[in-house]
Amino acid sequence: MTLTFDEICIDAHDASALGVWWSKVLGWPHDVDDDGDVVLHAPPGAGPNWLFLAVPDDKVVKNRIHFDFRPDDQQAEVERVVGLGARHVDIGQGDESWVVLADPEGNEFCILAADD
């Protein structure tokens, strides 16, 4: 028996708003499934789809898992994503080459330095 990595499930207070926000950040198409969950469709080779599930509670602690993204131009991507509504967060990272941001519901993610 084998397992296939099919999707990443993300709890959200407002699954519709957060799913649409990440769709804009990633440039991936999205739709709403029969259960009312928002599905981001990963392009071929980009990994699994993302599924945003509505939950009644807000995020209250640091993520136990997060996403790292490597752009062509770190500064430009940080500015673009902050312009879409992300915010800088300090999780104790100090002075590092990556930038820690949070999405509108507070989920942390990193934008790494571009490959040299």
Side-chain angles (χ1 to χ4, degrees), residues 58-77:
D58 294 326
K59 178 186 171 292
V60 293
V61 298
K62 181 182 170 295
N63 294 10
R64 298 290 300 264
I65 187 171
H66 70 268
F67 301 113
D68 287 348
F69 300 99
R70 187 170 308 276
D72 293 330
D73 181 332
Q74 183 187 44
Q75 182 176 347
E77 277 304 298

Side-chain angles (χ1 to χ4, degrees), residues 9-85:
C9 299
I10 301 166
D11 291 347
H13 186 72
D14 185 342
S16 179
L18 194 60
V20 168
W21 187 84
W22 275 105
S23 176
K24 290 177 185 174
V25 168
L26 297 172
W28 294 2
H30 71 279
D31 61 33
V32 178
D33 69 12
D34 293 339
D35 295 324
D37 302 322
V38 178
V39 182
L40 268 61
H41 299 280
N49 292 339
W50 291 18
L51 178 66
F52 291 83
L53 307 164
V55 296
D57 43 88
D58 294 326
K59 178 186 171 292
V60 293
V61 298
K62 181 182 170 295
N63 294 10
R64 298 290 300 264
I65 187 171
H66 70 268
F67 301 113
D68 287 348
F69 300 99
R70 187 170 308 276
D72 293 330
D73 181 332
Q74 183 187 44
Q75 182 176 347
E77 277 304 298
V78 168
E79 290 174 5
R80 182 183 74 83
V81 175
V82 167
L84 290 171

Side-chain angles (χ1 to χ4, degrees), residues 94-105:
D95 186 24
E96 298 293 344
S97 63
W98 59 85
V99 176
V100 182
L101 300 174
D103 70 17
E105 289 203 9

